[in-house]
Amino acid sequence: MITVVCPVFNEENYIRSVIDFFIEAAPLDKELVIIDGGSTDLTCEIIAEYMQKYSNIRLIANPDKYVPYGLNKAIQSTVGDPVIRLDAHTRYEKDYLTKILETFAKTGADIVGGPMRAIGSTSFQMAVSFATSSSFGVGNSAFHDENYEGYVDSVYLGAWKRSVFADVGLFDTDMLRNQDDEFHYRAKSHSKKIYLNPEIKSWYSPRNNFSSLFKQYYQYGLFKPLVLKKVKSGLKIRHLIPAGFVIYLLTMVIFSGYTISFVPIMVYALLALYFSCKSSTKISVILLMMIVFPTLHIAYGTGFIKGWLIVMMGKKPKI
């Protein structure tokens, strides 16, 4: 039997799609554990409807609300192997689960998953999808590359052999964000193999406005220094560049009288334009991408700087 886990919070518009996928997907021998972080909408009522018909669907409460607490409760209350995580805002190919099992069998890896494919139904979501799939937007992060196959640092969502938790521990509850990165970096530091297979297909719906996008990437940046403090081997140059960009923007105020200080921002704008035009021919999407790129970088960089200062003071970031 395999175990499928899905943390949720106020997902009444999405939860039916996730459960229907689980019911229809092979293999038959599986269980679904949904962990609710205190939903105030109809999420739990909808899940209860399915539980009356399907004995292999369970709902457990997560009074601590945040994802790492919920994942740990689900892992500790199940016995299936492997443990496969789903997300409510993601659409899955019908063979998603079987491709995961095939990848485990083919590679012998300890952790497997697919790339993070973002899709959009609005021009803004399309802009975010293209931006977060480009090297200019997110650096050389392999799990954003839809065509890459091989061993990596992390995968989207993730599927884990149960033995991994026995060997490296559960999810770190300090990581209110980036808990998957920290866990995968920690697993890799314990010589666990993580394999990305593009045949494991899913599609994620990104944020649909600038404020929520900024908040998301700010929080990613805020918790990244704590990740890197706990697992130093996870550090990559791409983690530092947005913070450097923010520092550069701040120093422009001091050195604005020097023409040369504007050269980097001009180069940045040209790169943003190039990658925007490379990604789309739709003018509205191109224009939005020109704003999405700096939103991602400034949000992440600002969060990273604040998170680094908090960690340097011996404290932990909070949301």
Side-chain angles (χ1 to χ4, degrees), residues 32 47 67 138 145 172 180 198 266:
L32 172 62
I47 297 168
V67 170
V138 295
D145 186 342
D172 190 333
D180 50 348
M266 292 172 63

Side-chain angles (χ1 to χ4, degrees), residues 37 84 88 99 104 152 180 206 271 281 306:
I84 300 173
K99 285 296 182 184
F104 274 121
V152 291
D180 50 348
L271 286 171
T281 57
K306 182 177 179 180

